[in-house]
Amino acid sequence: MDIDLNQIEEIINQIGQAQTLEEVDALYLKLMGKSGYIATATRSLSVISKDQVKEIAPKLTQLRQLTETATKKTRLEIKEKEYEKLDLEQLDLTTFEKIKQRKGHLHPVTQFEIEIAELFSKLGFQQFDAPHIDTDENNFELLNIPDNHPARDLWDTLYIDQSKLKVSPGKLLLRTHTSNSQVHIMKGLKPPFRMMSIGRCFRYENLDARHEHTFDQFELIYIDKGVNMGNLQYLSEYFLKAVFGSDIKVRLKPKYYPFVEPGAGVDGQCIFCHGAGCKVCSNSGWLELAGAGMIHPNVLRNGGIDPKKYSGIAWGFGPERMVMLKYGIEDIRLLKSGNLKFLERY
Ligand code: DAH
């Protein structure tokens, strides 16, 4: 078995003269790779005489070390030369001037919410911000939805891990709806009042074109003596006519929500087919656009208000859904995608 140490030395010399990192790596592998010269020679030691091994093995060790040091040194030299080149390089910043300046604007959902807040402030409604992280009590129990009540299935809830919390504020969750504002408002104010609450809500949803885990809601509460379903019909028409035009027809239909009695779904006649029936309204001619009702006496009592003296209406809807209908957007996920090409259209 012939072991050609001269050839190995020759390649080590080549490493010293290499000009690029790729060259160095290729030569290094030629020696040290699995089937490289040094590796092959080392394997051959098992088939040569003991005397030859005694002579060659130490030389191989030495060549291995030489390969490592030559590779390290040349790599460093090449890198330093590259850095010198970088120092000499001049950056051309003039291209920045050529990029068209982009003007920022409000998100379409924010624009819509501002518009609606102005609309209702004309009727005397004032804004109130309720917490995003709230207690199970405010989000559910005081709204007539006790623990283990089957109605809880209407809201897929994200609870907070409180195991490391040093205080005990009660069971915490990410609010599933802006209805959590109702009891905060009732406890903080004396009736009569007209309030609105707008903001983020969160649910443990299966995401698709119509469901997001993070979305907004808009809530109205109006409490006074003699408030009734007529007021609800009026407010619903006022709102939907402002958003979709004065010829939209509006109807209330019975719907169950635990915190209102009677509860109502607020329907607008389908803005796409005008009642004839189409894909968007599942051929019914109507779109359900909000949930509402007369505030349940239990909820009024929980807020410290006497249901024998006062009555109230509550009303809630999803601004994202309205914006989608208004502009014909088919996938709710686009709204929070941060995709500027999409957002620049509005
Ligand atoms: N909170 C309800 C939901 O998340 C919407 C709603 C329904 C709000 C009826 C109300 C109401 O104020 O009266 O689906």
Side-chain angles (χ1 to χ4, degrees), residues 155 176-177 179 182 203 217 219 257 259-260 291-293 314-316:
W155 298 275
T176 57
H177 50 188
S179 304
Q182 294 191 13
R203 287 186 201 169
Q217 276 197 351
E219 188 96 7
Y257 295 99
F259 34 89
V260 278
W315 196 87

